[in-house]
Amino acid sequence: MNNRIYNISFDLHTVSGIVISVLLYVIFFAGSFSFFRDEIVNWERNTPTNAPTRLNINVDAALDSIGKKYSLYGRDIRFRRNSHERNVMVNLSDSKIKTDTVQGKLYYLDTETYQLSDYETSYSLGEFLYRLHFFAQIPYPIGYYLSGFTSLFFLFAIVTGVIVHWEKIITNFYLFRPWAKLKTVWTDAHTVLGTIGLPFQVVYAITGAYFMIRIFLLIPTVLFMYHGDTEKIYHELGVELPHYEFAAKAWNKPVNVNSIIDTTAARWKKFTVTQVEVFNYGDSNMHVAVSGELDKSIRFTGNGRLVYHVVDQKITDIKDPFTGTTYVEGVLNSLTRLHYADYGGYALKIVSFLLALVTCFVIISGILIW
């Protein structure tokens, strides 16, 4: 490597690292504890930490309980399990009945007591650290974009750092001089720990940028690869949201949502139901969508869904988790699993926690060198 390329890479690595150092430190420090977000939340609420990943709730009883407080007719209601908590997320949409002016919002429902609480009441230290990880406390979308571009520049700093140390990356890895002057100690520690955490840092730089600023990646993709066809790219991404028109004709017969859930769960081997969405509750065009995923021991990424038309008791839409996952959707789901480190149990979480703290030390040592 000639001196010009080395000097340019060295300067770019130094400047980019210093500029994003504070933001990056907050991201990794809060992110390290976010691996144990559910454990922190359960500790605060004095609830068990072994809550299952499936949607273990009597949905019919939950609908009856919520219906005593709010009019559900004409609303879309979503039950979702996204963490190892006793609570599940319940999202009520605005009613399609004009006379019903009560606005929908996000709630949390206790799966044992069926007590409903809003997001503010359920806020916890675990949630605070998780949201701080991507600067959600800053008004949307500024905080999201700030964390996303920080991740992107972090990837740039990693690449330039590798270029700087490439020729001596092996010899410098075994070089540590704890009795030398302090700047030498920081330099050796920065190089060694940066090399150890390199794969971890690359994964989180890429996935972090994808989560927070993917809209900027999708704009050129939609324009040039899909020629402006947003429906096609949503299909490829597997994020199509079904929409069913409100018929404004009441359907007063009882609906057994639990039986629909059981039927869906039994359809595929080791299929875990994680979300149930009811469209147009109490209407003649009422639909129930049951979504979930395969056990990670069978398939690393495999999302499935069944949609039932309540009046006809017929399946109107089906997505097989074994064959219905597109290549793009599989890649994006894999990025999600890599970022959340939810596929290797506590061993992977502990390793990821330690590597995140190592990255914090790499950031501090890099600043102390200068």
Side-chain angles (χ1 to χ4, degrees), residues 221-341:
T221 303
V222 171
L223 291 178
F224 298 105
M225 295 183 63
Y226 290 86
H227 306 291
D229 191 348
T230 55
E231 291 186 2
K232 184 177 180 180
I233 192 171
Y234 282 141
H235 175 74
E236 291 290 330
L237 293 174
V239 295
E240 288 181 298
L241 298 178
H243 174 73
Y244 303 98
E245 294 294 333
F246 182 61
K249 183 178 179 181
W251 175 260
N252 298 319
K253 295 183 180 181
V255 179
N256 191 340
V257 179
N258 290 332
S259 65
I260 297 176
I261 297 174
D262 294 338
T263 301
T264 306
R267 187 180 184 93
W268 297 294
K269 182 181 179 182
K270 290 191 176 182
F271 182 77
T272 302
V273 174
T274 57
Q275 177 175 293
V276 174
E277 190 162 7
V278 181
F279 301 92
N280 304 321
Y281 184 86
D283 188 65
S284 60
N285 197 30
M286 178 178 173
H287 287 73
V288 176
V290 181
S291 307
E293 60 186 12
L294 294 174
D295 188 273
K296 289 183 281 292
S297 62
I298 294 181
R299 194 181 180 112
F300 188 68
T301 171
N303 298 332
R305 180 181 68 231
L306 283 181
V307 180
Y308 295 80
H309 187 204
V310 173
V311 176
D312 299 332
Q313 286 294 300
K314 292 182 178 180
I315 299 175
T316 59
D317 183 38
I318 182 171
K319 180 184 178 184
D320 193 310
F322 289 97
T323 60
T325 303
T326 65
Y327 174 78
V328 175
E329 185 183 2
V331 171
L332 299 185
N333 288 341
S334 298
L335 291 176
T336 303
R337 291 222 180 277
L338 289 172
H339 193 86
Y340 283 92

Side-chain angles (χ1 to χ4, degrees), residues 103-332:
Q103 293 184 343
K105 61 186 298 187
L106 174 65
Y107 294 95
Y108 285 91
L109 184 71
D110 192 305
T111 56
E112 293 188 8
T113 64
Y114 294 102
Q115 181 179 354
L116 202 65
S117 57
D118 58 20
Y119 179 77
E120 291 76 12
T121 305
S122 303
Y123 201 77
S124 63
L125 175 62
E127 183 71 8
F128 168 77
L129 291 171
Y130 171 70
R131 293 176 65 80
L132 179 63
H133 170 59
F134 50 92
F135 305 142
Q137 286 84 355
I138 300 176
Y140 178 84
I142 298 175
Y144 284 33
Y145 292 164
L146 184 62
S147 62
F149 281 108
T150 300
S151 297
L152 190 63
F153 281 107
F154 180 46
L155 180 63
F156 179 76
I158 292 172
V159 172
T160 53
V162 170
I163 293 175
V164 168
H165 295 285
W166 181 252
E167 292 184 352
K168 297 182 179 180
I169 195 168
I170 296 178
T171 56
N172 287 346
F173 180 77
Y174 294 100
L175 182 64
F176 187 63
R177 296 160 287 182
W179 309 116
K181 60 182 181 179
L182 200 56
K183 183 177 180 179
T184 302
V185 175
W186 294 130
T187 302
D188 292 346
H190 184 78
T191 304
V192 173
L193 294 178
T195 304
I196 292 174
L198 183 62
F200 173 85
Q201 293 160 10
V202 170
V203 167
Y204 278 87
I206 295 174
T207 56
Y210 155 71
F211 278 121
M212 296 294 104
I213 56 174
R214 56 185 168 187
I215 185 172
F216 295 101
L217 303 176
L218 288 178
I219 290 175
T221 303
V222 171
L223 291 178
F224 298 105
M225 295 183 63
Y226 290 86
H227 306 291
D229 191 348
T230 55
E231 291 186 2
K232 184 177 180 180
I233 192 171
Y234 282 141
H235 175 74
E236 291 290 330
L237 293 174
V239 295
E240 288 181 298
L241 298 178
H243 174 73
Y244 303 98
E245 294 294 333
F246 182 61
K249 183 178 179 181
W251 175 260
N252 298 319
K253 295 183 180 181
V255 179
N256 191 340
V257 179
N258 290 332
S259 65
I260 297 176
I261 297 174
D262 294 338
T263 301
T264 306
R267 187 180 184 93
W268 297 294
K269 182 181 179 182
K270 290 191 176 182
F271 182 77
T272 302
V273 174
T274 57
Q275 177 175 293
V276 174
E277 190 162 7
V278 181
F279 301 92
N280 304 321
Y281 184 86
D283 188 65
S284 60
N285 197 30
M286 178 178 173
H287 287 73
V288 176
V290 181
S291 307
E293 60 186 12
L294 294 174
D295 188 273
K296 289 183 281 292
S297 62
I298 294 181
R299 194 181 180 112
F300 188 68
T301 171
N303 298 332
R305 180 181 68 231
L306 283 181
V307 180
Y308 295 80
H309 187 204
V310 173
V311 176
D312 299 332
Q313 286 294 300
K314 292 182 178 180
I315 299 175
T316 59
D317 183 38
I318 182 171
K319 180 184 178 184
D320 193 310
F322 289 97
T323 60
T325 303
T326 65
Y327 174 78
V328 175
E329 185 183 2
V331 171
L332 299 185

